[in-house]
Amino acid sequence: MRKKLSLYLLVLSLATLCFGQLNAATLNIHNGGDPSSLDPHKLSGDWENRIAGDIFEGLVTEDIGAEAIPGQAESWTISDDGLVYTFKLRDGISWTDGKPVTAGDFEFALKRLMDPAAAAKYAYLQYPIKNAEAINGGKIKDLNELGVKAIDDKTLEITLEKPTPYFIGALTHYTAYPLPKHVLEAKGDDWVKIDNIVTNGPYKPTEWIPGSHVTTVKNDKYYAADQLAIDSAKFFVLEDETAALKRYRAGEFDILTDFPTDQYEWIKKNLPGQAQVAPFAGLYYYVVNNTKPPFDNADVRKALSMSINREVIGPQILGTGELPAYSWVPPGMANYSEPAYVSWKDLPYGEKVAEAKKLLSAAGYSKDKPLKLQLRYNTNENHKRIAVAIAAMWKPLGVEVELYNTETKVHYDEITKGILEVARAGWLADYNDADNFLNLLKSDVNYNYGRFKNADYDALIDKGNATTDKDERAKLFRQAEQLALDESAAMPIYYYLARNIVSPKVKGYENNAFDIHRTRWMSKED
């Protein structure tokens, strides 16, 4: 027996040397929606960010707590006037095909992001870069006028329009990831197909089956590959949260990125310590089509917003305790202190409903002449639960609601095109600054789904971002926020709580204000 055992151990050792650990750790993640692309310039959702942030890495990346740390850049310096950032890239960084990642790849990617022909909806996030907005808007035709320059293969210089306190944080976002210039030039739009794509993050994609999953494996060319405890990650498409919870209980998933809130008490009792519910910087809201009668009437929008009983949504409708939102910017954002609030925030709910009825009556609507509207939401049990509840809150006003749901990808594609009357939306902070939320209501931003347009609002945001005085900037931003709230530009409903379920087998998962949990920081026990 001893000789046989020794022989077995020898074979096992050789197999491990040749093929790696026999029990390779695979992290199975319920990811929700179907990614629209693996191209960083074509993304917009948190379900896409989870994948993109594993397979690509920018100059700056996130640590376990979602704070900015050096990524592909080992260090950087900032000029005394706050305008010029000089990044030094790490030695030995490469794409998955072995080609070096160079400063030129970052320059190429940022120019492509701003090229109007690329139609990158999220390009505005990098507008702090000199001439970025003018180039993206077509006012400057020469992409070389963008304030990004590869000094040499290891040195990238980025010049800003004005000092921007959140710029390093914004560089963690996928709009600032490099792109493999050599592959895009060879393959064109087909560069992103699974057989062609090369990436530079901790993991690389090996399989993408739309409607099912994306599979990634450890990138052995990553500079910290020897520190990765997870060998592979699988991101599953599944918008049915009850089905996802069943699969988690069956051991098919290690992480759920959401769960049916009506089962929260059961989860806490039967899966102790596994529900991860924590505050993070995000806003759940409804948008209203400001260009379509009667929703172009601010009083109609105000009536709909006033009659939503926000206090019952978190504790009763969802059951997870989300806090009611009466501001557009969530409390606690950096460089902002206290946000502005709607003027009717502290009225008793009965008085809110009475005032809402008066407003609708003055606009010509009543139970005898109901206001009919379509309420859109993306397929999700929690979104449906909220939509049903709000439709019931609107009923006493004489509002008749048609509920309309589509899968996530279709939902956001349509409302981005302005196909809506009232629609559910949500925003998770891309960087820790009020500007990230206030930009959503600027007239020239793609994610201004309700097409709110107010020249004074735009001017206040632009003026705020033009000043280097942080207190003055916050003052101007607050004025803009108050203006939008007074106009009922959209309807904030609650401030997000991150709702995840994490298996006890998973280690290195840490709740944070941005609900970002990169695979590279996690491990999994048998």
Side-chain angles (χ1 to χ4, degrees), residues 2 28 83 93 98 122 129 190 205 223 254 262 276 287 299 301 319 330 337 342 362 370 388 393-394 406 411 454 519:
R2 185 170 295 173
N28 295 303
L83 295 179
I93 52 175
Y122 233 150
I129 298 173
D190 287 341
Y223 61 85
D254 301 305
D262 63 343
Q276 302 293 323
V287 286
D299 284 342
R301 300 195 300 267
S337 68
V342 293
V388 169
M393 295 171 192
W394 285 339
T406 55
H411 174 79
N454 185 293
T519 305

Side-chain angles (χ1 to χ4, degrees), residues 154-289:
K154 291 292 183 183
T155 310
L156 183 74
E157 183 181 273
I158 299 180
T159 303
L160 306 187
E161 289 279 359
K162 52 189 173 293
T164 304
Y166 60 82
F167 184 62
I168 288 295
L171 289 180
T172 66
H173 194 261
Y174 46 76
T175 48
Y177 291 165
L179 294 177
K181 180 181 178 182
H182 62 288
V183 179
L184 271 78
E185 289 179 343
K187 301 293 184 180
D189 290 342
D190 287 341
W191 83 275
V192 79
K193 289 184 177 180
I194 205 71
D195 292 335
N196 297 331
I197 190 170
V198 302
T199 64
N200 72 320
Y203 295 85
K204 59 184 178 181
T206 57
E207 182 181 43
W208 178 18
I209 300 178
S212 178
H213 63 271
V214 173
T215 301
T216 67
V217 300
K218 185 189 296 187
N219 173 14
D220 59 6
K221 293 183 173 60
Y222 184 62
Y223 61 85
D226 61 341
Q227 300 171 27
L228 303 178
I230 298 296
D231 297 282
S232 174
K234 210 165 186 177
F235 298 86
F236 288 89
V237 177
L238 182 58
E239 298 185 12
D240 184 335
E241 292 166 351
T242 297
L245 181 57
K246 288 178 180 176
R247 292 181 65 176
Y248 173 84
R249 292 174 60 195
E252 296 179 43
F253 294 152
D254 301 305
I255 295 175
L256 298 187
T257 56
D258 205 347
F259 58 80
T261 57
D262 63 343
Q263 297 191 48
Y264 183 44
E265 291 302 319
W266 183 93
I267 292 167
K268 287 193 292 184
K269 182 178 179 181
N270 293 278
L271 302 172
Q274 296 173 53
Q276 302 293 323
V277 177
F280 79 112
L283 179 71
Y284 190 104
Y285 62 101
Y286 277 4
V287 286
V288 188
N289 193 332

Side-chain angles (χ1 to χ4, degrees), residues 364-437:
Y365 296 98
S366 63
K367 287 187 176 180
D368 295 330
K369 186 186 175 184
L371 169 62
K372 297 181 180 181
L373 63 85
Q374 183 186 74
L375 172 55
R376 289 172 169 254
Y377 63 93
N378 52 299
T379 303
N380 176 291
E381 293 170 54
N382 296 327
H383 301 333
K384 180 179 180 180
R385 194 172 293 117
I386 292 168
V388 169
I390 289 177
M393 295 171 192
W394 285 339
K395 190 173 182 180
L397 277 63
V399 177
E400 295 182 1
V401 178
E402 174 200 355
L403 298 180
Y404 181 88
N405 76 288
T406 55
E407 65 179 32
T408 299
K409 187 160 55 175
V410 174
H411 174 79
Y412 278 105
D413 179 64
E414 292 185 343
I415 69 173
T416 300
K417 294 173 180 173
I419 304 172
L420 74 138
E421 291 181 341
V422 182
R424 174 267 159 188
W427 196 260
L428 315 179
D430 300 303
Y431 49 86
N432 193 4
D433 194 276
D435 171 82
N436 191 219
F437 289 89

